[in-house]
Amino acid sequence: MKTAVISGGAGGLGQALSQALQARGWRVVLLDLDVSGLDTRPNQLPIACDLTDPEQLADATQRVIESSESIDLVIYNAGVTQIRGFDQSDAASHRMVFDINYFAAVEMARAFLQAVRVSQGTHLAISSVAGFAPLYHRTAYAASKHALEGFFKSLRSEEAPHGVRVQIAAPSFVATNPGNAQEQADGTARPGSAKDGMDEMSPEAAAKAILRGLDKSQPMIPVGRVARLSWWLNSLSPRLYQRMMERNIRGPAE
């Protein structure tokens, strides 16, 4: 039985990906801060883990490797957003966004690197439209997702000789936590809780699109209509994309 590891596995998109993979006959390991709502079953293993804590991450990844016949797919889905103007943010919150969105994924990839090589499996990073284009009031979030994409695009070249695929999925607005932002004083909040989202997708629709791209071995998987249009427009004319993004997200000039 193939095994997939999903960080942020208790969230909306993590659960949608988990259910879709289990329906295909996969065993799924779910890493998240709080897994109290998830059952342990033969094809599902939830593990509570703060991915930004080196000791917890080392313990969790070792447990996964020891309990699995193989590690065939690692999905880097854990993340946090920050919706706030840069002039209202601080260095501590900016670093925290990077710790969760970027450094945790990098260290998780390091922990599973050899196991994925052995299985000739796949690393799948869940990025965002903000990973390849600017997004208003999300400087820290966009920067962390740009960094995530830069890392995994570069890793792709290094791992190809080992028969390993590295893919990136870039959803637009996925409604994973509507009405459940749990926003903090520094503007950080649960992903998928933005009030300024456009043409939002359900987690199930996003998971379906992501796995379709996975099956096709697409290096970059724009997820949803807005993501596909953004990818095309930003590639064609970054200036036009920025103007349209500002008009739709920011609205009238402040």
mmCIF file of all heavy atoms in Angstrom, residues 7-60:
data_model
loop_
_atom_site.group_PDB
_atom_site.id
_atom_site.type_symbol
_atom_site.label_atom_id
_atom_site.label_comp_id
_atom_site.label_asym_id
_atom_site.label_seq_id
_atom_site.Cartn_x
_atom_site.Cartn_y
_atom_site.Cartn_z
ATOM 1 N N SER A 7 1.148 17.416 5.525
ATOM 2 C CA SER A 7 1.211 18.385 6.623
ATOM 3 C C SER A 7 -0.019 19.286 6.546
ATOM 4 O O SER A 7 -0.586 19.498 5.476
ATOM 5 C CB SER A 7 2.502 19.208 6.550
ATOM 6 O OG SER A 7 2.496 20.057 5.423
ATOM 7 N N GLY A 8 -0.436 19.808 7.691
ATOM 8 C CA GLY A 8 -1.705 20.532 7.711
ATOM 9 C C GLY A 8 -2.853 19.596 7.404
ATOM 10 O O GLY A 8 -3.875 19.980 6.825
ATOM 11 N N GLY A 9 -2.697 18.346 7.824
ATOM 12 C CA GLY A 9 -3.648 17.305 7.444
ATOM 13 C C GLY A 9 -5.011 17.395 8.090
ATOM 14 O O GLY A 9 -5.946 16.742 7.631
ATOM 15 N N ALA A 10 -5.145 18.193 9.155
ATOM 16 C CA ALA A 10 -6.443 18.318 9.819
ATOM 17 C C ALA A 10 -7.274 19.457 9.249
ATOM 18 O O ALA A 10 -8.445 19.603 9.594
ATOM 19 C CB ALA A 10 -6.241 18.526 11.319
ATOM 20 N N GLY A 11 -6.677 20.277 8.378
ATOM 21 C CA GLY A 11 -7.396 21.405 7.795
ATOM 22 C C GLY A 11 -8.289 20.981 6.647
ATOM 23 O O GLY A 11 -8.325 19.806 6.240
ATOM 24 N N GLY A 12 -8.997 21.955 6.091
ATOM 25 C CA GLY A 12 -9.967 21.652 5.042
ATOM 26 C C GLY A 12 -9.356 21.027 3.808
ATOM 27 O O GLY A 12 -9.817 19.977 3.327
ATOM 28 N N LEU A 13 -8.295 21.635 3.256
ATOM 29 C CA LEU A 13 -7.678 21.081 2.062
ATOM 30 C C LEU A 13 -6.934 19.789 2.386
ATOM 31 O O LEU A 13 -6.967 18.828 1.604
ATOM 32 C CB LEU A 13 -6.727 22.097 1.429
ATOM 33 C CG LEU A 13 -6.036 21.658 0.136
ATOM 34 C CD1 LEU A 13 -7.056 21.240 -0.913
ATOM 35 C CD2 LEU A 13 -5.135 22.775 -0.397
ATOM 36 N N GLY A 14 -6.273 19.747 3.540
ATOM 37 C CA GLY A 14 -5.584 18.526 3.939
ATOM 38 C C GLY A 14 -6.540 17.350 4.042
ATOM 39 O O GLY A 14 -6.236 16.238 3.588
ATOM 40 N N GLN A 15 -7.712 17.572 4.622
ATOM 41 C CA GLN A 15 -8.701 16.510 4.745
ATOM 42 C C GLN A 15 -9.264 16.099 3.393
ATOM 43 O O GLN A 15 -9.491 14.919 3.135
ATOM 44 C CB GLN A 15 -9.835 16.966 5.662
ATOM 45 C CG GLN A 15 -9.512 16.828 7.141
ATOM 46 C CD GLN A 15 -9.414 15.363 7.535
ATOM 47 O OE1 GLN A 15 -10.409 14.675 7.699
ATOM 48 N NE2 GLN A 15 -8.182 14.876 7.673
ATOM 49 N N ALA A 16 -9.483 17.078 2.512
ATOM 50 C CA ALA A 16 -10.006 16.755 1.182
ATOM 51 C C ALA A 16 -8.997 15.920 0.396
ATOM 52 O O ALA A 16 -9.362 14.951 -0.277
ATOM 53 C CB ALA A 16 -10.343 18.036 0.431
ATOM 54 N N LEU A 17 -7.718 16.271 0.482
ATOM 55 C CA LEU A 17 -6.677 15.490 -0.182
ATOM 56 C C LEU A 17 -6.585 14.096 0.427
ATOM 57 O O LEU A 17 -6.443 13.097 -0.286
ATOM 58 C CB LEU A 17 -5.331 16.205 -0.063
ATOM 59 C CG LEU A 17 -5.155 17.461 -0.919
ATOM 60 C CD1 LEU A 17 -3.952 18.272 -0.437
ATOM 61 C CD2 LEU A 17 -4.990 17.093 -2.389
ATOM 62 N N SER A 18 -6.671 14.026 1.746
ATOM 63 C CA SER A 18 -6.603 12.741 2.437
ATOM 64 C C SER A 18 -7.727 11.815 1.999
ATOM 65 O O SER A 18 -7.503 10.635 1.684
ATOM 66 C CB SER A 18 -6.667 12.966 3.951
ATOM 67 O OG SER A 18 -6.803 11.744 4.647
ATOM 68 N N GLN A 19 -8.936 12.329 1.990
ATOM 69 C CA GLN A 19 -10.087 11.498 1.634
ATOM 70 C C GLN A 19 -10.002 11.021 0.191
ATOM 71 O O GLN A 19 -10.334 9.862 -0.124
ATOM 72 C CB GLN A 19 -11.369 12.279 1.885
ATOM 73 C CG GLN A 19 -11.658 12.493 3.370
ATOM 74 C CD GLN A 19 -12.696 13.568 3.635
ATOM 75 O OE1 GLN A 19 -13.411 13.994 2.722
ATOM 76 N NE2 GLN A 19 -12.786 14.020 4.880
ATOM 77 N N ALA A 20 -9.532 11.917 -0.697
ATOM 78 C CA ALA A 20 -9.418 11.539 -2.107
ATOM 79 C C ALA A 20 -8.356 10.464 -2.300
ATOM 80 O O ALA A 20 -8.538 9.520 -3.086
ATOM 81 C CB ALA A 20 -9.092 12.769 -2.947
ATOM 82 N N LEU A 21 -7.248 10.569 -1.590
ATOM 83 C CA LEU A 21 -6.186 9.570 -1.701
ATOM 84 C C LEU A 21 -6.618 8.238 -1.089
ATOM 85 O O LEU A 21 -6.331 7.166 -1.642
ATOM 86 C CB LEU A 21 -4.912 10.077 -1.032
ATOM 87 C CG LEU A 21 -4.148 11.154 -1.809
ATOM 88 C CD1 LEU A 21 -3.089 11.807 -0.922
ATOM 89 C CD2 LEU A 21 -3.491 10.563 -3.060
ATOM 90 N N GLN A 22 -7.294 8.293 0.049
ATOM 91 C CA GLN A 22 -7.765 7.057 0.665
ATOM 92 C C GLN A 22 -8.767 6.350 -0.246
ATOM 93 O O GLN A 22 -8.803 5.114 -0.295
ATOM 94 C CB GLN A 22 -8.381 7.349 2.030
ATOM 95 C CG GLN A 22 -7.351 7.740 3.086
ATOM 96 C CD GLN A 22 -7.959 7.906 4.452
ATOM 97 O OE1 GLN A 22 -8.603 7.008 4.965
ATOM 98 N NE2 GLN A 22 -7.751 9.070 5.064
ATOM 99 N N ALA A 23 -9.567 7.122 -0.969
ATOM 100 C CA ALA A 23 -10.516 6.521 -1.911
ATOM 101 C C ALA A 23 -9.790 5.803 -3.043
ATOM 102 O O ALA A 23 -10.349 4.894 -3.666
ATOM 103 C CB ALA A 23 -11.435 7.603 -2.487
ATOM 104 N N ARG A 24 -8.543 6.174 -3.277
ATOM 105 C CA ARG A 24 -7.724 5.518 -4.296
ATOM 106 C C ARG A 24 -6.964 4.313 -3.731
ATOM 107 O O ARG A 24 -6.207 3.669 -4.446
ATOM 108 C CB ARG A 24 -6.708 6.504 -4.875
ATOM 109 C CG ARG A 24 -7.302 7.658 -5.662
ATOM 110 C CD ARG A 24 -6.194 8.551 -6.194
ATOM 111 N NE ARG A 24 -6.699 9.591 -7.093
ATOM 112 C CZ ARG A 24 -5.937 10.256 -7.953
ATOM 113 N NH1 ARG A 24 -4.637 9.987 -8.032
ATOM 114 N NH2 ARG A 24 -6.458 11.182 -8.734
ATOM 115 N N GLY A 25 -7.127 4.073 -2.429
ATOM 116 C CA GLY A 25 -6.456 2.937 -1.818
ATOM 117 C C GLY A 25 -5.140 3.261 -1.145
ATOM 118 O O GLY A 25 -4.385 2.347 -0.774
ATOM 119 N N TRP A 26 -4.860 4.542 -0.948
ATOM 120 C CA TRP A 26 -3.626 4.949 -0.293
ATOM 121 C C TRP A 26 -3.781 4.921 1.230
ATOM 122 O O TRP A 26 -4.872 5.065 1.770
ATOM 123 C CB TRP A 26 -3.258 6.379 -0.687
ATOM 124 C CG TRP A 26 -2.693 6.537 -2.063
ATOM 125 C CD1 TRP A 26 -3.322 6.262 -3.243
ATOM 126 C CD2 TRP A 26 -1.403 7.049 -2.405
ATOM 127 N NE1 TRP A 26 -2.502 6.577 -4.292
ATOM 128 C CE2 TRP A 26 -1.314 7.058 -3.810
ATOM 129 C CE3 TRP A 26 -0.323 7.511 -1.660
ATOM 130 C CZ2 TRP A 26 -0.183 7.509 -4.490
ATOM 131 C CZ3 TRP A 26 0.801 7.963 -2.330
ATOM 132 C CH2 TRP A 26 0.875 7.940 -3.729
ATOM 133 N N ARG A 27 -2.667 4.760 1.904
ATOM 134 C CA ARG A 27 -2.572 5.008 3.348
ATOM 135 C C ARG A 27 -2.078 6.446 3.514
ATOM 136 O O ARG A 27 -1.177 6.891 2.790
ATOM 137 C CB ARG A 27 -1.595 4.040 3.994
ATOM 138 C CG ARG A 27 -1.265 4.338 5.461
ATOM 139 C CD ARG A 27 -0.320 3.270 5.999
ATOM 140 N NE ARG A 27 0.099 3.535 7.379
ATOM 141 C CZ ARG A 27 1.237 4.149 7.694
ATOM 142 N NH1 ARG A 27 2.058 4.568 6.742
ATOM 143 N NH2 ARG A 27 1.555 4.341 8.959
ATOM 144 N N VAL A 28 -2.654 7.163 4.470
ATOM 145 C CA VAL A 28 -2.349 8.577 4.626
ATOM 146 C C VAL A 28 -1.910 8.868 6.057
ATOM 147 O O VAL A 28 -2.551 8.429 7.020
ATOM 148 C CB VAL A 28 -3.576 9.448 4.263
ATOM 149 C CG1 VAL A 28 -3.265 10.925 4.477
ATOM 150 C CG2 VAL A 28 -3.967 9.210 2.806
ATOM 151 N N VAL A 29 -0.802 9.592 6.188
ATOM 152 C CA VAL A 29 -0.331 10.078 7.481
ATOM 153 C C VAL A 29 -0.582 11.576 7.527
ATOM 154 O O VAL A 29 -0.177 12.311 6.620
ATOM 155 C CB VAL A 29 1.166 9.793 7.690
ATOM 156 C CG1 VAL A 29 1.610 10.309 9.057
ATOM 157 C CG2 VAL A 29 1.452 8.300 7.567
ATOM 158 N N LEU A 30 -1.272 12.013 8.577
ATOM 159 C CA LEU A 30 -1.683 13.409 8.685
ATOM 160 C C LEU A 30 -0.937 14.088 9.829
ATOM 161 O O LEU A 30 -1.073 13.690 10.992
ATOM 162 C CB LEU A 30 -3.193 13.490 8.938
ATOM 163 C CG LEU A 30 -4.053 12.756 7.894
ATOM 164 C CD1 LEU A 30 -5.498 12.702 8.353
ATOM 165 C CD2 LEU A 30 -3.939 13.427 6.542
ATOM 166 N N LEU A 31 -0.145 15.099 9.508
ATOM 167 C CA LEU A 31 0.594 15.859 10.507
ATOM 168 C C LEU A 31 -0.095 17.200 10.722
ATOM 169 O O LEU A 31 -0.381 17.915 9.762
ATOM 170 C CB LEU A 31 2.039 16.103 10.049
ATOM 171 C CG LEU A 31 2.883 14.872 9.695
ATOM 172 C CD1 LEU A 31 4.277 15.316 9.274
ATOM 173 C CD2 LEU A 31 2.955 13.910 10.857
ATOM 174 N N ASP A 32 -0.350 17.545 11.978
ATOM 175 C CA ASP A 32 -0.959 18.841 12.282
ATOM 176 C C ASP A 32 -0.783 19.135 13.762
ATOM 177 O O ASP A 32 -0.495 18.222 14.554
ATOM 178 C CB ASP A 32 -2.445 18.856 11.918
ATOM 179 C CG ASP A 32 -2.907 20.221 11.424
ATOM 180 O OD1 ASP A 32 -2.535 21.229 12.066
ATOM 181 O OD2 ASP A 32 -3.624 20.279 10.411
ATOM 182 N N LEU A 33 -0.978 20.383 14.123
ATOM 183 C CA LEU A 33 -0.871 20.768 15.529
ATOM 184 C C LEU A 33 -1.905 20.044 16.385
ATOM 185 O O LEU A 33 -1.604 19.570 17.476
ATOM 186 C CB LEU A 33 -1.055 22.285 15.673
ATOM 187 C CG LEU A 33 0.160 23.175 15.457
ATOM 188 C CD1 LEU A 33 -0.272 24.637 15.429
ATOM 189 C CD2 LEU A 33 1.202 22.943 16.544
ATOM 190 N N ASP A 34 -3.125 19.982 15.894
ATOM 191 C CA ASP A 34 -4.229 19.370 16.639
ATOM 192 C C ASP A 34 -4.882 18.315 15.765
ATOM 193 O O ASP A 34 -5.517 18.633 14.757
ATOM 194 C CB ASP A 34 -5.246 20.440 17.043
ATOM 195 C CG ASP A 34 -6.395 19.879 17.878
ATOM 196 O OD1 ASP A 34 -6.373 18.664 18.184
ATOM 197 O OD2 ASP A 34 -7.306 20.651 18.211
ATOM 198 N N VAL A 35 -4.721 17.068 16.129
ATOM 199 C CA VAL A 35 -5.323 15.971 15.364
ATOM 200 C C VAL A 35 -6.376 15.239 16.194
ATOM 201 O O VAL A 35 -6.742 14.095 15.895
ATOM 202 C CB VAL A 35 -4.242 14.982 14.875
ATOM 203 C CG1 VAL A 35 -3.300 15.650 13.888
ATOM 204 C CG2 VAL A 35 -3.474 14.380 16.050
ATOM 205 N N SER A 36 -6.872 15.907 17.231
ATOM 206 C CA SER A 36 -7.818 15.267 18.147
ATOM 207 C C SER A 36 -9.111 14.859 17.457
ATOM 208 O O SER A 36 -9.804 13.946 17.923
ATOM 209 C CB SER A 36 -8.127 16.197 19.322
ATOM 210 O OG SER A 36 -8.666 17.435 18.876
ATOM 211 N N GLY A 37 -9.454 15.501 16.351
ATOM 212 C CA GLY A 37 -10.685 15.153 15.647
ATOM 213 C C GLY A 37 -10.516 14.086 14.593
ATOM 214 O O GLY A 37 -11.465 13.767 13.872
ATOM 215 N N LEU A 38 -9.312 13.506 14.492
ATOM 216 C CA LEU A 38 -9.037 12.513 13.452
ATOM 217 C C LEU A 38 -8.874 11.126 14.067
ATOM 218 O O LEU A 38 -8.226 10.963 15.096
ATOM 219 C CB LEU A 38 -7.760 12.893 12.693
ATOM 220 C CG LEU A 38 -7.753 14.274 12.035
ATOM 221 C CD1 LEU A 38 -6.404 14.542 11.385
ATOM 222 C CD2 LEU A 38 -8.870 14.391 11.000
ATOM 223 N N ASP A 39 -9.445 10.132 13.417
ATOM 224 C CA ASP A 39 -9.360 8.754 13.886
ATOM 225 C C ASP A 39 -8.109 8.074 13.360
ATOM 226 O O ASP A 39 -7.649 8.353 12.247
ATOM 227 C CB ASP A 39 -10.579 7.955 13.421
ATOM 228 C CG ASP A 39 -11.876 8.479 14.008
ATOM 229 O OD1 ASP A 39 -11.833 8.994 15.149
ATOM 230 O OD2 ASP A 39 -12.910 8.389 13.328
ATOM 231 N N THR A 40 -7.578 7.145 14.148
ATOM 232 C CA THR A 40 -6.501 6.269 13.685
ATOM 233 C C THR A 40 -7.127 5.004 13.122
ATOM 234 O O THR A 40 -7.903 4.328 13.789
ATOM 235 C CB THR A 40 -5.553 5.912 14.842
ATOM 236 O OG1 THR A 40 -4.939 7.111 15.331
ATOM 237 C CG2 THR A 40 -4.467 4.954 14.377
ATOM 238 N N ARG A 41 -6.802 4.719 11.872
ATOM 239 C CA ARG A 41 -7.327 3.545 11.183
ATOM 240 C C ARG A 41 -6.186 2.879 10.414
ATOM 241 O O ARG A 41 -5.104 3.469 10.293
ATOM 242 C CB ARG A 41 -8.448 3.955 10.211
ATOM 243 C CG ARG A 41 -9.597 4.708 10.851
ATOM 244 C CD ARG A 41 -10.767 4.810 9.880
ATOM 245 N NE ARG A 41 -10.451 5.582 8.695
ATOM 246 C CZ ARG A 41 -10.668 6.888 8.548
ATOM 247 N NH1 ARG A 41 -11.204 7.579 9.545
ATOM 248 N NH2 ARG A 41 -10.364 7.497 7.436
ATOM 249 N N PRO A 42 -6.387 1.684 9.881
ATOM 250 C CA PRO A 42 -5.310 1.032 9.129
ATOM 251 C C PRO A 42 -4.763 1.892 7.987
ATOM 252 O O PRO A 42 -3.575 1.824 7.674
ATOM 253 C CB PRO A 42 -5.972 -0.241 8.599
ATOM 254 C CG PRO A 42 -7.034 -0.545 9.605
ATOM 255 C CD PRO A 42 -7.549 0.791 10.048
ATOM 256 N N ASN A 43 -5.644 2.699 7.379
ATOM 257 C CA ASN A 43 -5.190 3.524 6.258
ATOM 258 C C ASN A 43 -5.074 5.003 6.620
ATOM 259 O O ASN A 43 -4.957 5.852 5.746
ATOM 260 C CB ASN A 43 -6.131 3.361 5.061
ATOM 261 C CG ASN A 43 -7.550 3.813 5.382
ATOM 262 O OD1 ASN A 43 -7.928 3.908 6.550
ATOM 263 N ND2 ASN A 43 -8.341 4.086 4.355
ATOM 264 N N GLN A 44 -5.105 5.332 7.917
ATOM 265 C CA GLN A 44 -4.987 6.726 8.342
ATOM 266 C C GLN A 44 -4.282 6.811 9.691
ATOM 267 O O GLN A 44 -4.725 6.218 10.671
ATOM 268 C CB GLN A 44 -6.365 7.380 8.441
ATOM 269 C CG GLN A 44 -6.320 8.822 8.965
ATOM 270 C CD GLN A 44 -7.665 9.503 8.922
ATOM 271 O OE1 GLN A 44 -8.162 9.841 7.852
ATOM 272 N NE2 GLN A 44 -8.279 9.704 10.083
ATOM 273 N N LEU A 45 -3.187 7.564 9.716
ATOM 274 C CA LEU A 45 -2.432 7.753 10.949
ATOM 275 C C LEU A 45 -2.258 9.249 11.209
ATOM 276 O O LEU A 45 -1.475 9.911 10.541
ATOM 277 C CB LEU A 45 -1.052 7.088 10.845
ATOM 278 C CG LEU A 45 -0.102 7.327 12.030
ATOM 279 C CD1 LEU A 45 -0.680 6.740 13.315
ATOM 280 C CD2 LEU A 45 1.272 6.735 11.726
ATOM 281 N N PRO A 46 -3.000 9.808 12.188
ATOM 282 C CA PRO A 46 -2.806 11.216 12.548
ATOM 283 C C PRO A 46 -1.681 11.341 13.585
ATOM 284 O O PRO A 46 -1.611 10.541 14.525
ATOM 285 C CB PRO A 46 -4.154 11.629 13.150
ATOM 286 C CG PRO A 46 -4.922 10.372 13.376
ATOM 287 C CD PRO A 46 -4.127 9.210 12.898
ATOM 288 N N ILE A 47 -0.832 12.338 13.411
ATOM 289 C CA ILE A 47 0.261 12.584 14.344
ATOM 290 C C ILE A 47 0.282 14.069 14.689
ATOM 291 O O ILE A 47 0.394 14.917 13.793
ATOM 292 C CB ILE A 47 1.623 12.172 13.756
ATOM 293 C CG1 ILE A 47 1.647 10.676 13.442
ATOM 294 C CG2 ILE A 47 2.758 12.528 14.710
ATOM 295 C CD1 ILE A 47 2.943 10.204 12.795
ATOM 296 N N ALA A 48 0.173 14.372 15.974
ATOM 297 C CA ALA A 48 0.243 15.767 16.417
ATOM 298 C C ALA A 48 1.695 16.224 16.368
ATOM 299 O O ALA A 48 2.587 15.547 16.889
ATOM 300 C CB ALA A 48 -0.310 15.904 17.832
ATOM 301 N N CYS A 49 1.924 17.371 15.737
ATOM 302 C CA CYS A 49 3.297 17.845 15.574
ATOM 303 C C CYS A 49 3.306 19.333 15.270
ATOM 304 O O CYS A 49 2.570 19.805 14.396
ATOM 305 C CB CYS A 49 3.985 17.083 14.443
ATOM 306 S SG CYS A 49 5.657 17.646 14.084
ATOM 307 N N ASP A 50 4.157 20.063 15.997
ATOM 308 C CA ASP A 50 4.461 21.447 15.651
ATOM 309 C C ASP A 50 5.642 21.397 14.697
ATOM 310 O O ASP A 50 6.775 21.123 15.100
ATOM 311 C CB ASP A 50 4.804 22.244 16.907
ATOM 312 C CG ASP A 50 5.132 23.704 16.611
ATOM 313 O OD1 ASP A 50 5.292 24.053 15.421
ATOM 314 O OD2 ASP A 50 5.243 24.489 17.575
ATOM 315 N N LEU A 51 5.401 21.626 13.418
ATOM 316 C CA LEU A 51 6.437 21.483 12.403
ATOM 317 C C LEU A 51 7.576 22.485 12.570
ATOM 318 O O LEU A 51 8.648 22.288 11.992
ATOM 319 C CB LEU A 51 5.824 21.635 11.004
ATOM 320 C CG LEU A 51 4.783 20.592 10.614
ATOM 321 C CD1 LEU A 51 4.164 20.950 9.268
ATOM 322 C CD2 LEU A 51 5.380 19.205 10.569
ATOM 323 N N THR A 52 7.344 23.536 13.340
ATOM 324 C CA THR A 52 8.406 24.526 13.549
ATOM 325 C C THR A 52 9.297 24.158 14.727
ATOM 326 O O THR A 52 10.280 24.848 14.993
ATOM 327 C CB THR A 52 7.816 25.933 13.783
ATOM 328 O OG1 THR A 52 7.086 25.949 15.017
ATOM 329 C CG2 THR A 52 6.889 26.329 12.642
ATOM 330 N N ASP A 53 8.970 23.075 15.439
ATOM 331 C CA ASP A 53 9.773 22.593 16.562
ATOM 332 C C ASP A 53 10.672 21.459 16.053
ATOM 333 O O ASP A 53 10.172 20.387 15.703
ATOM 334 C CB ASP A 53 8.856 22.090 17.681
ATOM 335 C CG ASP A 53 9.612 21.638 18.920
ATOM 336 O OD1 ASP A 53 10.569 20.844 18.777
ATOM 337 O OD2 ASP A 53 9.246 22.057 20.026
ATOM 338 N N PRO A 54 11.987 21.653 15.992
ATOM 339 C CA PRO A 54 12.877 20.643 15.403
ATOM 340 C C PRO A 54 12.753 19.267 16.051
ATOM 341 O O PRO A 54 12.770 18.243 15.349
ATOM 342 C CB PRO A 54 14.280 21.232 15.631
ATOM 343 C CG PRO A 54 14.057 22.710 15.711
ATOM 344 C CD PRO A 54 12.734 22.871 16.388
ATOM 345 N N GLU A 55 12.610 19.212 17.377
ATOM 346 C CA GLU A 55 12.517 17.917 18.044
ATOM 347 C C GLU A 55 11.210 17.210 17.698
ATOM 348 O O GLU A 55 11.200 16.002 17.420
ATOM 349 C CB GLU A 55 12.640 18.095 19.557
ATOM 350 C CG GLU A 55 14.035 18.497 20.021
ATOM 351 C CD GLU A 55 14.158 18.489 21.531
ATOM 352 O OE1 GLU A 55 13.193 18.079 22.210
ATOM 353 O OE2 GLU A 55 15.216 18.892 22.018
ATOM 354 N N GLN A 56 10.097 17.969 17.708
ATOM 355 C CA GLN A 56 8.815 17.356 17.353
ATOM 356 C C GLN A 56 8.815 16.877 15.909
ATOM 357 O O GLN A 56 8.302 15.793 15.598
ATOM 358 C CB GLN A 56 7.671 18.353 17.577
ATOM 359 C CG GLN A 56 7.341 18.625 19.032
ATOM 360 C CD GLN A 56 6.036 19.393 19.186
ATOM 361 O OE1 GLN A 56 5.068 19.140 18.461
ATOM 362 N NE2 GLN A 56 6.001 20.315 20.127
ATOM 363 N N LEU A 57 9.381 17.683 15.028
ATOM 364 C CA LEU A 57 9.423 17.299 13.618
ATOM 365 C C LEU A 57 10.270 16.047 13.423
ATOM 366 O O LEU A 57 9.873 15.127 12.698
ATOM 367 C CB LEU A 57 9.979 18.446 12.772
ATOM 368 C CG LEU A 57 10.119 18.168 11.273
ATOM 369 C CD1 LEU A 57 8.768 17.833 10.655
ATOM 370 C CD2 LEU A 57 10.748 19.362 10.559
ATOM 371 N N ALA A 58 11.425 15.986 14.073
ATOM 372 C CA ALA A 58 12.297 14.815 13.956
ATOM 373 C C ALA A 58 11.602 13.558 14.477
ATOM 374 O O ALA A 58 11.656 12.487 13.849
ATOM 375 C CB ALA A 58 13.601 15.056 14.715
ATOM 376 N N ASP A 59 10.935 13.681 15.626
ATOM 377 C CA ASP A 59 10.228 12.525 16.202
ATOM 378 C C ASP A 59 9.099 12.057 15.290
ATOM 379 O O ASP A 59 8.909 10.849 15.071
ATOM 380 C CB ASP A 59 9.672 12.880 17.578
ATOM 381 C CG ASP A 59 10.761 13.042 18.634
ATOM 382 O OD1 ASP A 59 11.903 12.611 18.391
ATOM 383 O OD2 ASP A 59 10.460 13.619 19.702
ATOM 384 N N ALA A 60 8.327 13.026 14.763
ATOM 385 C CA ALA A 60 7.178 12.678 13.932
ATOM 386 C C ALA A 60 7.614 12.026 12.628
ATOM 387 O O ALA A 60 7.052 11.000 12.212
ATOM 388 C CB ALA A 60 6.341 13.925 13.649
#
